[in-house]
């Protein structure tokens, strides 16, 4: 449970809110590379942390991400001409480069200095893993782009499903940090043989946590016969990544995992990037398609307006929800709470331990940030760019063996 004030503090993301300013200190996903696939492609709208932006790939391949509305008189640059290394407004032809410099004001008299006096707000971008990341904070505080494990594999070994979650980011993030819901929300009555269902053995796991440089590490420990355990280790990575152990095993180890960014579009909407990756091999057509649940704008076909096309017969016979596809099930659970759930009236139990830890971590991070401290997980030296210890695990452990033994020699 949080007070109303704490709930507001954690959930408001616009510029000049404490959380909005904290988020702006991190490199965050802005869009997929495929949305601006080619140089001189059509610009796309991007809503991010409550700001309306436009993204484009210039003639030289550089990426621009800037305020949607032209600095001259506000026409949307979404309609602009992306040509000759810049984006030109269709109203009076002002042209911007990817850094927001005004290159041309053709309606002004020759010799006009107006273009040198105006700067259009633009954000630096980095591309990795098929995602365009943006930095929206103060230039002098810009951290080094952190190369997490899923961003370091070849492009065909990462698979990303982007979708719009129609509620506040924290509801999405709490779902990723909530191992207990797997036993219910995602339960199949006729399990798919390819899936691992051992977590059903013990529906009320014990939880243990480690505080890390990047956030939190959480183990859900389920008791098996004879004192053995099945441990699933998840992570919370600043500022809004939930990493969970999914995927197949290779040589007794989990072959990659899933990292989910819950990127606030604004206070009431979230761009969710589910990044699946494998260390051992590329994804193939056998790895089931996870992208056919959204339209061309990454909006879910099953959504709150059509009750997620819930089928009560399926709910009786096939799965717990009557809704197909786990991302739709997650969306129904989190969106149906409302745009920003009131956390002052909830009733938390033992199964919410990780959720509670994540809230505490974020509350402390934002309060420390307000007090002038450095936000956790940011790096400023190239030699710090080592995140091999961000690694989810799922393992059967004999009696008296701790899940922490899965992390020998890994820095904390
Ligand atoms: S409004 Fe864009 S050039 Fe005038
Ligand atoms: Fe889920």
């Amino acid at each position: 449970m949080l007070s109303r004030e704490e709930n507001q503090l954690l959930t408001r993301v616009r510029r000049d809110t404490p959380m909005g300013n904290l988020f702006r200190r991190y490199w965050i996903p802005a869009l997929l590379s495929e949305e601006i696939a080619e140089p001189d492609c059509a610009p796309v709208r991007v809503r991010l942390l409550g700001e309306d932006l436009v993204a484009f790939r210039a003639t030289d391949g550089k990426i621009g991400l800037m305020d949607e509305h032209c600095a001259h008189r506000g026409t949307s640059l979404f309609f602009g001409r992306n040509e000759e290394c810049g984006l030109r407004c269709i109203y009076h032809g002002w042209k911007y480069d990817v850094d927001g410099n005004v290159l041309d004001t053709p309606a002004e008299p020759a010799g006009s200095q107006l273009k040198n006096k105006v700067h259009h707000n633009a954000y630096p971008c980095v591309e990795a893993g098929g995602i365009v990341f943006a930095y929206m904070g103060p230039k002098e505080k810009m951290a080094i782009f952190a190369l997490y494990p899923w961003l370091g594999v070849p492009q065909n070994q990462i698979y990303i499903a982007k979708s719009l979650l129609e509620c506040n980011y924290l509801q999405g993030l709490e779902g990723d940090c909530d191992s207990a819901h797997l036993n219910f929300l995602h339960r199949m009555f006729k399990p798919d043989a390819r899936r691992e269902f051992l977590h059903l053995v013990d529906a009320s796991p014990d939880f243990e946590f480690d505080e890390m440089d990047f956030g939190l590490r959480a183990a859900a420990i389920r008791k098996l016969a004879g004192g053995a355990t099945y441990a699933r280790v998840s992570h919370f990575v600043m500022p809004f990544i939930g990493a969970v152990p999914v995927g197949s095993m290779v040589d007794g180890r989990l072959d990659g995992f899933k990292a989910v960014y819950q990127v606030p579009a604004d206070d009431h909407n979230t761009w969710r990037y589910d990044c699946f990756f494998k260390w051992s091999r590329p994804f193939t057509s056998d790895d089931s398609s996870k992208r056919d649940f959204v339209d061309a704008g990454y909006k879910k076909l099953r959504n709150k307006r059509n009750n997620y096309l819930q089928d009560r017969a399926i709910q009786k016979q096939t799965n717990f929800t009557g809704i197909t596809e786990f991302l739709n099930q997650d969306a129904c659970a989190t969106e149906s709470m409302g745009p920003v759930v009131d956390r002052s009236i909830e009733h938390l139990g033992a199964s919410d331990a990780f959720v509670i830890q994540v809230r505490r971590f974020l509350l402390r991070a934002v309060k420390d940030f307000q007090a002038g401290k450095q936000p956790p997980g940011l790096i400023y030296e190239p030699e710090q760019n080592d995140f091999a210890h961000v690694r989810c695990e799922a393992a059967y452990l004999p009696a008296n063996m701790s899940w922490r033994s899965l992390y020998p020699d890994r820095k904390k």
Side-chain angles (χ1 to χ4, degrees):
M1 191 170 129
L2 295 179
S3 70
R4 284 190 182 195
E5 294 70 32
E6 287 171 328
N7 201 30
Q8 283 188 4
L9 182 62
L10 287 188
T11 53
R12 295 197 173 165
V13 301
R14 285 165 195 264
R15 188 168 282 286
D16 298 327
T17 63
M19 213 62 196
N21 285 341
L22 177 62
F23 285 166
R24 281 168 173 79
R25 296 290 303 277
Y26 293 82
W27 287 94
I28 60 173
L31 71 165
L32 293 176
S33 300
E34 67 181 29
E35 295 179 66
I36 45 170
E38 303 288 337
D40 290 336
C41 62
V44 297
R45 290 191 179 96
V46 174
R47 186 147 168 86
L48 201 55
L49 301 182
E51 298 184 27
D52 288 316
L53 308 171
V54 67
F56 63 101
R57 194 182 296 271
T59 316
D60 55 7
K62 288 189 185 149
I63 293 172
L65 180 69
M66 57 182 58
D67 285 357
E68 178 181 350
H69 297 285
C70 179
H72 178 217
R73 279 171 46 206
T75 293
S76 171
L77 294 170
F78 167 76
F79 301 100
R81 303 174 63 88
N82 181 8
E83 57 189 17
E84 293 160 11
C85 293
L87 186 59
R88 195 182 284 280
C89 178
I90 56 166
Y91 203 3
H92 313 94
W94 284 31
K95 182 177 176 183
Y96 305 93
D97 70 10
V98 296
D99 299 318
N101 299 307
V102 185
L103 302 175
D104 195 14
T105 54
E108 296 304 301
S112 164
Q113 288 303 305
L114 184 56
K115 69 178 182 193
N116 299 322
K117 295 186 187 138
V118 179
H119 186 81
H120 195 51
N121 188 39
Y123 298 118
C125 294
V126 163
E127 229 172 341
I131 300 174
V132 177
F133 292 83
Y135 175 75
M136 299 168 71
K139 292 266 185 305
E140 69 282 4
K141 305 276 191 191
M142 190 165 85
I144 293 174
F145 180 75
L147 206 57
Y148 295 121
W150 55 92
L151 301 175
V153 295
Q155 191 59 50
N156 58 6
Q157 290 171 223
I158 178 168
Y159 184 94
I160 303 170
K162 176 179 176 179
S163 58
L164 181 68
L165 187 68
E166 296 182 81
C167 63
N168 182 261
Y169 83 96
L170 189 55
Q171 278 151 247
L173 177 61
E174 289 178 351
D176 300 322
C177 298
D178 173 8
S179 171
H181 83 266
L182 301 181
N183 290 357
F184 307 99
L185 186 73
H186 302 310
R187 179 180 290 187
M188 300 282 291
F189 299 142
K190 294 176 193 161
D192 177 332
R194 290 176 307 163
R195 285 214 189 170
E196 178 59 75
F197 272 78
L198 234 184
H199 55 262
L200 295 177
V201 170
D202 175 3
S204 60
D206 294 330
F207 293 97
E208 292 178 5
F209 303 98
D210 283 339
E211 200 157 297
M212 308 292 290
D213 54 348
F214 56 77
L216 291 165
R217 184 161 76 183
I221 303 154
R222 292 176 165 86
K223 295 168 281 298
L224 305 177
T229 56
Y230 175 60
R232 295 174 61 82
V233 186
S234 304
H235 298 322
F236 161 62
V237 183
M238 282 293 283
F240 37 55
I241 304 169
V244 293
V246 297
S248 45
M249 306 290 279
V250 169
D251 298 331
R253 296 292 298 272
L254 200 57
D255 182 23
F257 52 91
K258 178 175 84 155
V260 187
Y261 295 83
Q262 302 278 358
V263 190
D266 52 37
D267 291 351
H268 296 166
N269 293 281
T270 302
W271 291 113
R272 176 179 172 141
Y273 295 77
D274 285 66
C275 306
F276 303 81
F277 80 103
K278 292 179 186 298
W279 274 298
S280 72
R281 64 169 176 85
F283 282 91
T284 67
S285 52
D286 279 353
D287 302 310
S288 60
S289 168
K290 300 172 182 75
R291 299 180 74 164
D292 52 5
F293 69 103
V294 291
D295 65 17
Y298 306 99
K299 301 203 171 117
K300 295 185 301 296
L301 304 175
R302 292 168 180 258
N303 53 57
K304 60 184 180 182
R305 284 164 295 285
N306 58 26
N307 288 329
Y308 308 90
L309 303 177
Q310 185 187 37
D311 184 322
R312 298 291 185 180
I314 289 177
Q315 189 173 29
K316 274 202 165 67
Q317 291 149 19
T318 310
N319 71 17
F320 203 71
T321 55
I323 299 167
T324 56
E325 171 59 47
F326 73 93
L327 285 171
N328 293 321
Q329 295 159 0
D330 283 332
C332 177
T334 51
E335 292 176 342
S336 65
M337 296 170 181
V340 183
V341 68
D342 182 354
R343 293 180 175 79
S344 71
I345 56 168
E346 61 190 4
H347 300 86
L348 299 182
S351 68
D352 302 304
F354 192 15
V355 168
I356 293 166
Q357 294 284 332
V358 169
R359 291 180 187 177
R360 274 194 199 141
F361 193 96
L362 279 171
L363 272 175
R364 201 179 66 221
V366 73
K367 286 177 180 169
D368 283 353
F369 177 62
Q370 286 179 290
K373 287 197 194 156
Q374 170 83 5
L378 294 180
I379 51 170
Y380 290 90
E381 303 296 334
E383 57 270 22
Q384 296 174 305
N385 207 350
D386 171 11
F387 289 94
H389 58 308
V390 178
R391 180 166 184 153
C392 295
E393 300 277 9
Y396 308 102
L397 299 168
N400 303 321
M401 186 168 164
S402 164
W403 62 275
R404 289 191 177 90
S405 64
L406 299 167
Y407 295 92
D409 312 322
R410 292 216 184 117
K411 70 177 179 181
K412 220 176 151 177

